[in-house]
Amino acid sequence: MESESADAFAAAFTLHNFKEVVRTQLLEQISRILKKGGLFVNADILTHDDPIKHKKDLEDQLRAFDIFEKLGHPELKREWIKHYAEDQKNKFTEAEQIFLLKNNGFADIQTVFRKRLEATVTAVKK
Ligand SMILES: C[S@@+](CC[C@H](N)C(=O)[O-])C[C@H]1O[C@@H](n2cnc3c(N)ncnc32)[C@H](O)[C@@H]1O
């Protein structure tokens, strides 16, 4: 995309899947293509920076997958637990997200939502 051509970038449950080096390259590109005043929104699996809170968040999240047993789909519980275990090897932390935004010329960085591991971060391109 052309530099300074986009009004907004939004992603949902995707960036945490990328390796850290790819996230770094991607944020550089997002910064390049956004217009001044352009909006960044990322709703994602973002690890809490406090390891004790993260441990509790993760345990609560894994317990929440019990719902799939009640719904008669234990295979979905197994698959989700497997996916979250994979994520633990390549954590995208809230601190990394904020660092990447600060480093790439974003202001007004806010975590506007968090429930367990899920968080939404917004920012504005300076
Ligand atoms: C949970 S889905 C979210 C899709 C969509 N944003 C939504 O909210 O419905 C995660 C997406 O990330 C993509 N994905 C996972 N790992 C990826 C990778 N390493 N490179 C590119 N895309 C990836 C998957 O193909 C999938 O489309």
Side-chain angles (χ1 to χ4, degrees):
M1 290 177 72
E2 294 281 323
S3 296
E4 297 187 35
S5 64
D7 294 306
F9 168 90
F13 292 103
T14 296
L15 308 192
H16 75 279
N17 290 305
F18 301 166
K19 292 198 171 97
E20 193 175 337
V21 62
V22 177
R23 289 196 290 262
T24 302
Q25 292 164 348
L26 180 66
L27 260 290
E28 288 167 11
Q29 291 299 314
I30 296 166
S31 175
R32 182 183 64 73
I33 62 144
L34 279 179
K35 295 175 186 168
K36 285 190 181 67
L39 181 65
F40 173 95
V41 183
N42 184 27
D44 215 335
I45 307 293
L46 288 175
T47 299
H48 208 295
D49 299 322
D50 177 336
I52 293 166
K53 284 190 178 150
H54 172 63
K55 186 170 177 290
K56 184 178 181 314
D57 284 347
L58 183 60
E59 286 166 358
D60 288 350
Q61 180 66 65
L62 296 181
R63 247 193 313 276
F65 292 142
D66 288 349
I67 188 71
F68 290 120
E69 279 180 341
K70 290 184 191 131
L71 295 171
H73 288 285
E75 76 286 3
L76 291 180
K77 177 180 169 179
R78 278 196 301 276
E79 284 303 313
W80 275 111
I81 288 176
K82 206 162 84 184
H83 184 61
Y84 272 70
E86 280 299 307
D87 287 347
Q88 294 309 297
K89 296 180 202 158
N90 175 41
K91 289 191 194 112
F92 189 13
T93 63
E94 195 173 324
E96 180 192 334
Q97 173 69 95
I98 291 167
F99 171 81
L100 289 173
L101 289 165
K102 281 186 181 158
N103 232 20
N104 285 288
F106 285 86
D108 197 15
I109 302 165
Q110 296 182 54
T111 301
V112 295
F113 171 86
R114 173 171 284 283
K115 183 176 182 187
R116 297 195 285 259
L117 299 178
E118 297 171 9
T120 302
V121 174
T122 63
V124 175
K125 177 73 195 301
K126 283 193 268 188

